[in-house]
Amino acid sequence: MKFKTFLALVITGGLVLSAVVIGSCVWLLRQPARQDVVSRPVVSQPPALPAPTTTGSLRPVDRDLLEALRRPVTSDRIKDAFPGRPYKITLYCDNPGAGWNRAKIDLNRNNRWDEKITIVNGEPTKRQVASRDDENYDLEYRWRGGQWVAK
């Protein structure tokens, strides 16, 4: 290869690389700032994880879950069924036509699931809880008479 050919290739490669770097910088600067991370509420401690009291009262997240289960299945998932709440409920439909069959709850919106709910015939049956907020489910409850009972 002649020196002139080599020099032309090096100069062309340098120009292309410079154009890519400058174009990437311009593209990054033109992207809108991510507002969604800043706008989410910050909760220092998740709501209490134990089962409700023996009087049958339900937590607000349980009442919202029951309300969400009444919604018709229009896709395979509803992500964040109640966006304005301090917790996130996501519903899943793994078998089309069978209704919702599971839900996951993030009590403090830290993108780690705190609870897994198994749903049968439109009603919750089993609740698994990660008490350390680490997605390792160490507590289990059953739905009995309209309230959660420890297994």
Side-chain angles (χ1 to χ4, degrees):
M1 177 183 306
K2 293 184 178 180
F3 180 73
K4 287 183 178 181
T5 306
F6 175 75
L7 187 60
L9 287 174
V10 169
I11 291 172
T12 304
L15 290 174
V16 169
L17 182 63
S18 298
V20 168
V21 169
I22 291 171
S24 297
C25 290
V26 169
W27 180 76
L28 285 173
L29 292 174
R30 297 181 124 217
Q31 294 297 315
R34 293 192 64 183
Q35 299 287 332
D36 59 340
V37 175
V38 176
S39 65
R40 290 191 179 178
V42 176
V43 179
S44 60
Q45 293 292 327
L49 293 177
T53 61
T54 56
T55 61
S57 63
L58 294 176
R59 304 173 301 165
V61 67
D62 295 325
R63 287 191 291 272
D64 284 344
L65 174 65
L66 294 173
E67 178 186 330
L69 291 178
R70 290 191 288 259
R71 295 182 183 177
V73 178
T74 56
S75 67
D76 63 339
R77 175 174 66 170
I78 293 181
K79 190 174 181 179
D80 200 0
F82 300 94
R85 302 283 172 31
Y87 45 82
K88 178 168 64 173
I89 298 176
T90 299
L91 297 170
Y92 299 90
C93 175
D94 296 327
N95 301 319
W100 304 115
N101 60 335
R102 60 189 176 99
K104 289 188 175 184
I105 300 173
D106 181 5
L107 293 172
N108 54 2
R109 290 188 175 270
N110 66 348
N111 293 323
R112 290 188 188 145
W113 298 115
D114 299 305
E115 299 183 6
K116 290 192 311 187
I117 311 290
T118 303
I119 302 162
V120 176
N121 296 326
E123 187 171 286
T125 57
K126 180 170 69 171
R127 173 177 146 218
Q128 295 172 291
V129 178
S131 62
R132 291 180 302 278
D133 198 16
D134 58 358
E135 294 185 345
N136 292 317
Y137 303 99
D138 54 349
L139 301 174
E140 196 166 303
Y141 298 91
R142 301 291 185 207
W143 185 254
R144 304 273 188 254
Q147 67 180 2
W148 293 111
V149 178
K151 179 179 174 186

